[in-house]
């Protein structure tokens, strides 16, 4: 007698057909749309090669994205700017919709500082402080993430360096400031911090966060530099990143079914979002 049986999934986890579109609008960058179709988990990836995507920025004449490769549509001649209103018209053999997205305001650091500090449960690690001016014109949504450039050393039996390897790694970060804590989705990820300006709209704001791992500089590993990125996100992109964090977390759980990602593609999946950003580079001797 078999000791296993099939358990049917509830209707809520069934995925309907629809377009899958990802478009991330950034000032001074090429406009690129990645388009595909919904397929079963055992089926191969299927790009959408028969779509037509028309873009209009503010009151300028509309233009079409070119299908340069399988499922990738782009235009290298026209760039968006901060505060632009972008209209997207999408058609395919099975779908059609119109969508409008506004590019957020530019963002920049006013003041930055790095420090070495003790953190309970971690030990001595790297801390970071950033200050920026929030715009009072809009409801703003932010994302912080950090990457470090690492040099790994190979040692011989006498602890002499025989070789080295250099690579970038996404850092695990966290912070206890109120805007960070008010977003419950930050509990699902250590790769980024997402927050809104609900508690500091229109003011000069300072935030502190830290590396979740001990400072790793030793004979076999050294941090050469760190890049801190702050992004000002459109609301659809903020919601998408939040749901992505929860989705990835639930994939690692043996008791949770991964939920769908929150997107703004009508009758489909994915996101058409916009963002601006600024970067802070810390170099170590």
């Amino acid at each position: 007698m078999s000791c296993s049986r099939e358990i049917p999934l509830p209707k809520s986890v069934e995925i309907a057909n629809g377009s899958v579109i990802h478009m991330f609008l950034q000032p001074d960058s090429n406009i690129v749309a990645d388009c595909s179709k919904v397929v079963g988990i055992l089926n191969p990836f299927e790009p959408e090669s028969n779509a037509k995507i028309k873009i209009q920025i503010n009151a300028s004449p509309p233009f079409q994205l070119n299908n340069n490769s399988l499922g990738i549509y782009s235009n290298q001649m026209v760039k968006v700017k901060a505060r632009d209103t972008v209209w997207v018209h999408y058609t395919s053999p099975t779908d059609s919709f119109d969508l409008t997205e506004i590019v957020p305001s530019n963002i920049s650091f006013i003041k930055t500082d790095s420090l070495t500090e003790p953190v309970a449960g971690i030990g001595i690690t790297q801390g970071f402080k950033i200050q920026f001016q929030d715009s009072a014109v809009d409801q703003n949504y932010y994302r912080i993430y950090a990457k470090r450039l690492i040099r790994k050393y190979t040692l011989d039996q006498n602890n002499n360096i025989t070789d080295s390897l250099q690579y970038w790694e996404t850092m695990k970060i966290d912070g206890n400031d109120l805007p960070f804590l008010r977003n419950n989705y930050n509990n699902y990820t250590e790769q980024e911090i997402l927050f809104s300006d609900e508690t500091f709209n229109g003011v000069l704001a300072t935030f502190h966060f830290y590396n979740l791992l001990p400072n790793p500089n030793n004979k076999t590993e050294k941090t050469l530099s760190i890049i801190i990125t702050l992004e000002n996100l459109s609301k659809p992109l903020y919601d998408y990143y939040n749901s992505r964090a929860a989705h990835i977390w639930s994939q690692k759980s043996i008791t949770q079914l991964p939920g769908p990602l929150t997107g703004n593609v009508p009758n489909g999946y994915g996101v058409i979002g916009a963002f601006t950003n600024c970067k802070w580079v810390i170099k170590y001797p």
Side-chain angles (χ1 to χ4, degrees):
M1 178 183 293
S2 174
C3 61
S4 64
R5 63 189 181 93
E6 292 187 0
I7 301 176
L9 292 175
K11 292 290 184 180
S12 59
V13 301
E14 292 183 1
I15 298 179
N17 291 329
S19 299
V20 182
I21 304 168
H22 293 93
M23 184 186 297
F24 303 91
L25 300 167
Q26 180 183 11
D28 302 319
S29 296
N30 295 338
I31 299 175
V32 179
D34 189 337
C35 306
S36 59
K37 302 175 183 178
V38 173
V39 295
I41 192 171
L42 298 178
N43 298 101
F45 173 75
E46 188 174 353
E48 177 56 79
S49 301
N50 297 306
K52 294 186 183 299
I53 305 175
K54 189 179 292 184
I55 304 290
Q56 183 175 12
I57 301 173
N58 301 323
S60 62
F63 57 91
Q64 193 155 306
L65 299 187
N66 302 313
N67 186 1
N68 299 318
S69 61
L70 290 177
I72 305 298
Y73 299 77
S74 65
N75 184 295
Q76 301 180 2
M77 303 300 296
V78 183
K79 319 286 186 184
V80 300
K81 301 187 297 296
R83 307 298 305 161
D84 276 349
T85 298
V86 182
W87 171 79
V88 179
H89 177 69
Y90 175 90
T91 58
S92 72
T94 59
D95 202 4
S96 176
F97 65 82
D98 292 278
L99 185 146
T100 301
E101 182 73 335
I102 297 177
V103 182
S105 302
N106 281 320
I107 188 74
S108 62
F109 291 119
I110 303 297
K111 186 178 179 181
T112 57
D113 190 21
S114 64
L115 60 153
T116 301
E117 61 180 331
V119 177
I122 298 175
I124 301 299
T125 190
Q126 300 149 308
F128 310 96
K129 290 183 178 180
I130 60 172
Q131 186 180 77
F132 63 93
Q133 178 68 53
D134 178 69
S135 171
V137 177
D138 308 299
Q139 176 77 45
N140 294 294
Y141 304 90
Y142 298 105
R143 175 182 180 230
I144 299 172
Y145 62 93
K147 293 187 176 182
R148 68 184 183 109
L149 180 60
I150 303 167
R151 179 173 288 159
K152 283 270 193 179
Y153 299 101
T154 302
L155 307 178
D156 63 15
Q157 59 185 4
N158 297 317
N159 284 332
N160 296 315
I161 298 174
T162 59
D163 199 1
S164 65
L165 174 67
Q166 203 166 288
Y167 61 94
W168 285 98
E169 177 184 80
T170 299
M171 295 174 59
K172 294 183 177 182
I173 58 174
D174 198 7
N176 299 315
D177 291 327
L178 179 60
F180 302 168
L181 299 176
R182 288 179 67 89
N183 180 19
N184 292 328
Y185 284 97
N186 285 324
N187 295 320
Y188 295 111
T189 180
E190 298 174 338
Q191 306 292 317
E192 59 195 2
I193 300 174
L194 293 146
F195 59 104
S196 75
D197 67 351
E198 182 181 4
T199 60
F200 62 95
N201 184 46
V203 304
L204 188 65
T206 301
F207 297 99
H208 167 247
F209 58 98
Y210 50 85
N211 186 0
L212 278 171
L213 298 176
N215 199 328
N217 288 326
N218 50 47
K219 287 185 178 181
T220 60
E221 181 178 320
K222 182 179 180 180
T223 299
L224 301 179
S225 63
I226 289 176
I227 296 180
I228 308 292
T229 302
L230 172 67
E231 293 181 345
N232 190 5
L233 309 172
S234 65
K235 183 61 161 58
L237 192 53
Y238 177 76
D239 292 338
Y240 176 80
Y241 283 144
N242 274 325
S243 65
R244 182 183 68 174
H247 181 88
I248 294 173
W249 176 86
S250 61
Q251 283 184 325
K252 302 173 185 178
S253 170
I254 61 173
T255 61
Q256 301 289 326
L257 284 173
L261 273 65
T262 300
N264 62 343
V265 176
N267 303 316
Y269 306 90
V271 66
I272 297 175
F275 69 98
T276 59
N277 68 10
C278 59
K279 297 179 183 292
W280 168 29
V281 180
I282 308 168
K283 294 186 178 181
Y284 293 91

